[in-house]
Amino acid sequence: MDPREFWRKSAKVWLCLILLCAVLLGFYSQVTHRVVLQQMQLEKKESSEGDCHLDTCRIPEVPRLVYPKAQLLKPTRVDVLVMTPWFAPIIWDGTFDSAILDAQFRNITVGLTVFAIKKYVVFLKLFLETAEKHFMVGHKVNYYVFTDQPAAVPQIPLQEGRQVVVLEVRSYKHWQDISMHRMEMISNFSQQRFLREVHYLVCLDVDMKFSDHVGVEILAPLFGTLHPGFYAGDRQSFTYERRPLSQAYIPRDEGDFYYAGGFFGGSVPEVYRLTVACHQAMMADQANGIEAVWHDESHLNRYLLYHKPSKVLSPEYLWDEQMLQRPPLLRKLRYVAVPKNHAEIRNR
Amino acid sequence: MRCPRLALGLGFCLLVVVALCCLWVYVENWLPVSYVPYYLPCPEIFNMKLQYKGEKPFQPVTPSQYPQPKLLEQKPTEFLTLTPWLAPIVSEGTFDPELLHRIYQPLNLTVGVTVFAVGKYTQFVQHFLESAEQFFMQGFRVHYYVFTNDPTAVPRVRLGSGRLVSIIPVLRHARWEEISTHRMQSISQHIAERAHREVDYLFCLNVDMVFRNPWGPETLGDLVAAIHPGYFAVPRQQFPYERRPLSTAFVADGEGDFYYGGEVFGGRVAKVYEFTRGCHMGILADKANGIMAAWQEESHLNRRFISHKPSKVLSPEYLWDDRKPQPPSLKLIRFSTLDKDTDWLRS
């Protein structure tokens, strides 16, 4: 055969083969490019998530704003402590400027978890309506309503960027069990969906209503709220669990504050860790045949003693007008108890 | 006869083009992005990638005895303790050193310090390091980075265990303003090349200063600034911000929180990298426009701290000027400037 003939014939085949390889290479590199990009984004998100030391995690950029200047030699509140000894701000009215904070916390989504089991569904309407007026106004909010009666969740008109997500869960016979299993349910759902959907989680009691601004000033990697009955008390008088057998045990000479079980939260990874730890502690107690004196609240207090919160909310953020006289140091009442008949609502 | 040849030629060209495209896509992926404006030659900043160290979760604090925080104590605090964006302002009495030590000690942190000892400033290194050995971050691993044009002029100082010094050579510029404005660039480059692997937190301090009292983990934060001792009692209109709109460090009349000193800033190493790089970009842009800010890099630092607010602010205890009389509101001076002849030093 003529070599040129041979070359001409096989050249076409070779050319086609080379072109095919080139096209395949092109596709492959495009695909890996996209996969690598996605991986980088995931890594970036993971490393910039809530895992960090006591400081606030973010240095977000704020646009040019006009606001009054802080005076170094003029403390804003002289009647109360505004910072814990481990540098966690204690949020009182007058200590923060919402304009700056809103600019720092643009583009975040806040998840609010609330449990409306058995008769507690009656509280949902007022809770959600007042939340629409006062809770994180101007930011994206997902209300996660845990209930055993999805049909009983009222339809509330919502502002833009806010939605109600109804999560059906089982109910328990005793109200103490319902209260304690909140930790387990939050931890399960944190892993399954909250991590992907929101930046921060706020875990609230449902038998309450919002009466004043509750905004991004509360957001931190981990925060707790001062219980309204104990903010002025000595650590010996705190109703911590005092039996050493319990996992929630705190000795008499320890303790910073008595935190309320009805308002805590933080970044999703930190809330996940808290709820898992509390749930495991409660399971251990159950195995040892003991139940902490204030149930999940006792376990929460133990956790927050040894994992210091990065922000503490003052009793403005959780108050009961029926049970307590309002002192002058509380300039605002933001989240208050709704009057209820305890005996009737808790059992059956 | 010609058609197959033409086809062959075209096919070959197509092949080359496709191959080049694929190669370009690959290379684009692999080469990290550079942020330097095209009109200024900074070849060494290309090909620099910063790896962020993994962040650690909350560590539990070991149970211990310490006094309970008093919520309703009517203690007259002279200083504001929280900025309006809820960043702590650190001063004596606002924190419990024992508790903080117990929180930070188990984290096994390494704290870096950068100082620039260029030209005649090498004479300050000894005093600085000796005082740091006594007061700075006791009980932590510390790595001092001394940037100098003359490594032989840097004296050897005895350091405690877990503490070391590295000498980083830099160029000496003709004018002292040039030296000052190049610090931001040097620090960000150094972090990208080395410090991000060696330290968790980094403080950038002036060398012509000395530690007088303990400086501990209360200063650690994501991004930390210190209030300038000369301007803490003064309204913002009197702050010596750069007031010419042409400069990137321009601050308008109604803007500003505090006037921060350029002698002390720091934070987590990744945040310090972003901060210094941002300042450096501003300085370069000004250079291209033929303007130098009123207080050189301090002006750029102040501009950046308005839009990227610090997560912790240090009171003037952490940056004092010995020439000023100590006011009663300042209980403890921890770090202060030495009285010196600046004209001679800068010549």
Side-chain angles (χ1 to χ4, degrees):
Chain A
M1 213 202 274
D2 187 5
R4 235 189 263 160
E5 266 292 333
F6 174 76
W7 168 244
R8 211 176 290 135
K9 276 201 177 124
S10 62
K12 282 191 191 150
V13 176
W14 279 113
L15 187 66
C16 290
L17 276 173
I18 291 168
L19 275 175
L20 191 71
C21 286
V23 166
L24 280 173
L25 194 70
F27 270 123
Y28 175 72
S29 67
Q30 278 295 327
V31 164
T32 48
H33 178 110
R34 243 174 236 133
V35 167
V36 165
L37 255 183
Q38 261 177 18
Q39 201 133 22
M40 271 167 49
Q41 274 170 6
L42 197 75
E43 267 167 40
K44 202 170 168 201
K45 187 162 190 228
E46 272 175 25
S47 70
S48 65
E49 274 289 303
D51 294 6
C52 60
H53 307 303
L54 296 172
D55 256 49
T56 50
C57 288
R58 316 154 52 88
I59 310 292
E61 182 170 352
V62 297
R64 291 191 135 106
L65 291 169
V66 175
Y67 51 80
K69 175 185 156 350
Q71 308 280 346
L72 189 68
L73 299 176
K74 286 206 195 93
T76 44
R77 294 291 297 256
V78 290
D79 51 344
V80 288
L81 190 68
V82 297
M83 195 163 73
T84 66
W86 61 91
F87 291 125
I90 306 178
I91 317 290
W92 300 88
D93 183 53
T95 56
F96 60 93
D97 183 334
S98 281
I100 306 176
L101 288 169
D102 278 332
Q104 283 189 326
F105 283 94
R106 309 186 295 273
N107 289 334
I108 51 122
T109 311
V110 181
L112 187 161
T113 67
V114 67
F115 286 75
I117 309 243
K118 294 206 277 190
K119 289 193 182 153
Y120 279 75
V121 289
V122 310
F123 295 109
L124 272 176
K125 185 163 185 296
L126 185 62
F127 180 92
L128 290 172
E129 280 173 350
T130 51
E132 277 300 292
K133 276 206 221 99
H134 300 290
F135 182 78
M136 303 286 169
V137 176
H139 298 270
K140 293 203 280 284
V141 175
N142 287 0
Y143 298 102
Y144 294 108
V145 179
F146 292 76
T147 182
D148 56 340
Q149 309 146 66
V153 176
Q155 296 285 336
I156 308 284
L158 298 173
Q159 298 284 333
E160 204 186 311
R162 300 161 85 100
Q163 52 166 331
V164 171
V165 177
V166 179
L167 301 168
E168 189 171 352
V169 292
R170 60 159 290 186
S171 122
Y172 287 87
K173 187 154 176 244
H174 303 290
W175 71 266
Q176 297 91 334
D177 287 320
I178 298 174
S179 181
M180 299 214 296
H181 278 271
R182 294 194 295 181
M183 292 290 186
E184 179 187 17
M185 294 181 199
I186 294 172
S187 67
N188 287 343
F189 280 93
S190 293
Q191 220 185 7
Q192 280 170 25
R193 55 186 299 179
F194 300 157
L195 195 63
R196 281 176 284 119
E197 295 180 358
V198 298
H199 298 98
Y200 292 93
L201 269 180
V202 178
C203 306
L204 297 173
D205 271 357
V206 74
D207 51 352
M208 315 274 290
K209 67 177 187 210
F210 292 90
S211 47
D212 212 320
H213 167 96
V214 173
V216 293
E217 68 278 359
I218 70 174
L219 299 178
L222 184 64
F223 68 84
T225 308
L226 298 177
H227 192 292
F230 298 96
Y231 65 89
D234 264 336
R235 47 164 63 133
Q236 284 83 2
S237 69
F238 292 164
T239 55
Y240 291 144
E241 173 55 61
R242 300 296 189 186
R243 294 167 291 177
L245 181 64
S246 169
Q247 299 296 315
Y249 168 63
I250 296 178
R252 289 229 170 247
D253 54 1
E254 285 178 47
D256 307 305
F257 302 108
Y258 192 75
Y259 299 101
F263 196 157
F264 65 90
S267 68
V268 181
E270 289 304 328
V271 172
Y272 173 71
R273 273 188 214 113
L274 182 154
T275 48
V276 163
C278 287
H279 175 62
Q280 284 173 352
M282 288 191 272
M283 292 296 107
D285 269 8
Q286 195 174 60
N288 289 329
I290 188 171
E291 196 174 300
V293 59
W294 283 103
H295 325 291
D296 50 310
E297 190 176 81
S298 304
H299 290 275
L300 176 78
N301 270 280
R302 163 115 185 172
Y303 186 87
L304 289 179
L305 175 60
Y306 298 129
H307 302 77
K308 307 240 177 272
S310 30
K311 269 185 194 165
V312 175
L313 308 186
S314 66
E316 293 174 5
Y317 288 85
L318 197 138
W319 194 252
D320 188 339
E321 288 196 275
Q322 256 72 38
M323 295 209 327
L324 299 150
Q325 270 272 348
R326 176 184 173 166
L329 55 90
L330 279 187
R331 293 185 191 168
K332 286 188 178 177
L333 294 179
R334 304 171 191 269
Y335 180 61
V336 295
V338 167
K340 69 181 193 276
N341 182 333
H342 282 249
E344 193 199 308
I345 207 102
R346 275 173 175 171
N347 296 311
R348 276 272 304 127
Chain B
M1 207 42 114
R2 285 190 117 182
C3 279
R5 264 208 176 159
L6 194 64
L8 200 71
L10 280 175
F12 184 72
C13 288
L14 182 70
L15 169 70
V16 167
V17 164
V18 169
L20 279 175
C21 280
C22 301
L23 198 65
W24 180 72
V25 162
Y26 247 123
V27 165
E28 191 196 29
N29 249 0
W30 168 73
L31 249 190
V33 186
S34 116
Y35 306 96
V36 181
Y38 66 94
Y39 47 80
L40 285 162
C42 288
E44 57 268 50
I45 298 185
F46 283 90
N47 295 329
M48 247 180 239
K49 210 155 58 153
L50 184 69
Q51 287 117 15
Y52 286 74
K53 261 171 119 167
E55 316 248 16
K56 301 179 193 104
F58 272 85
Q59 298 290 334
V61 186
T62 47
S64 55
Q65 273 88 8
Y66 52 83
Q68 180 191 356
K70 294 266 175 294
L71 200 71
L72 301 178
E73 200 161 80
Q74 305 288 351
K75 194 174 59 174
T77 47
E78 278 100 355
F79 280 137
L80 188 66
T81 38
L82 267 187
T83 67
W85 60 94
L86 299 174
I89 303 179
V90 183
S91 62
E92 179 63 16
T94 57
F95 62 96
D96 182 342
E98 274 292 312
L99 177 58
L100 287 175
H101 209 80
R102 221 161 318 170
I103 292 174
Y104 282 99
Q105 192 71 55
L107 299 176
N108 272 332
L109 301 168
T110 310
V111 182
V113 180
T114 65
V115 283
F116 283 74
V118 179
K120 298 190 181 113
Y121 280 76
T122 46
Q123 59 176 298
F124 296 111
V125 176
Q126 173 136 16
H127 210 23
F128 178 91
L129 287 177
E130 280 170 355
S131 64
E133 279 304 292
Q134 206 184 346
F135 293 116
F136 182 79
M137 295 289 175
Q138 286 306 314
F140 288 85
R141 284 202 301 271
V142 176
H143 198 145
Y144 302 99
Y145 298 106
V146 180
F147 292 72
T148 183
N149 63 315
D150 185 6
T152 54
V154 175
R156 297 183 73 83
V157 175
R158 258 194 54 164
L159 301 175
S161 75
R163 299 164 86 99
L164 39 120
V165 170
S166 294
I167 312 279
I168 318 286
V170 289
L171 286 175
R172 186 191 175 156
H173 296 271
R175 291 162 62 219
W176 69 268
E177 293 99 336
E178 293 281 321
I179 301 172
S180 176
T181 47
H182 271 84
R183 290 202 311 179
M184 291 294 182
Q185 176 186 357
S186 308
I187 293 169
S188 63
Q189 246 174 281
H190 174 68
I191 295 175
E193 282 168 357
R194 215 181 131 168
H196 74 276
R197 275 179 274 117
E198 297 176 351
V199 300
D200 301 292
Y201 289 87
L202 188 69
F203 283 100
C204 306
L205 307 175
N206 265 23
V207 74
D208 53 353
M209 322 244 322
V210 75
F211 291 91
R212 297 198 191 284
N213 270 296
W215 174 307
E218 70 277 2
T219 57
L220 296 177
D222 258 21
L223 187 63
V224 183
I227 298 179
H228 194 290
Y231 299 95
F232 64 88
V234 145
R236 51 161 65 130
Q237 290 80 0
Q238 292 175 31
F239 289 167
Y241 287 140
E242 173 53 62
R243 301 292 189 187
R244 291 168 291 176
L246 181 64
S247 168
T248 53
F250 167 64
V251 179
D253 239 353
E255 281 184 286
D257 307 300
F258 302 105
Y259 192 74
Y260 302 107
E263 295 90 336
V264 172
F265 67 93
R268 238 201 277 244
V269 82
K271 299 282 188 268
V272 174
Y273 172 76
E274 283 164 23
F275 184 82
T276 48
R277 205 171 50 73
C279 287
H280 175 53
M281 290 300 121
I283 294 173
L284 283 183
D286 270 11
K287 198 168 165 178
N289 290 327
I291 186 172
M292 180 173 279
W295 286 98
Q296 299 85 45
E297 57 178 29
E298 190 175 81
S299 306
H300 288 274
L301 177 136
N302 270 281
R303 172 68 247 172
R304 196 154 175 95
F305 272 136
I306 294 175
S307 49
H308 298 74
K309 299 200 185 302
S311 65
K312 195 175 258 184
V313 175
L314 305 180
S315 67
E317 291 175 6
Y318 291 84
L319 174 58
W320 190 247
D321 188 343
D322 276 344
R323 289 169 297 184
K324 295 195 187 338
Q326 184 174 341
S329 49
L330 265 185
K331 302 194 194 87
L332 203 65
I333 305 294
R334 302 171 195 264
F335 190 58
S336 57
T337 54
L338 293 168
D339 209 351
K340 58 193 183 283
D341 183 356
T342 36
D343 293 322
W344 174 75
L345 279 167
R346 286 170 176 174
S347 63

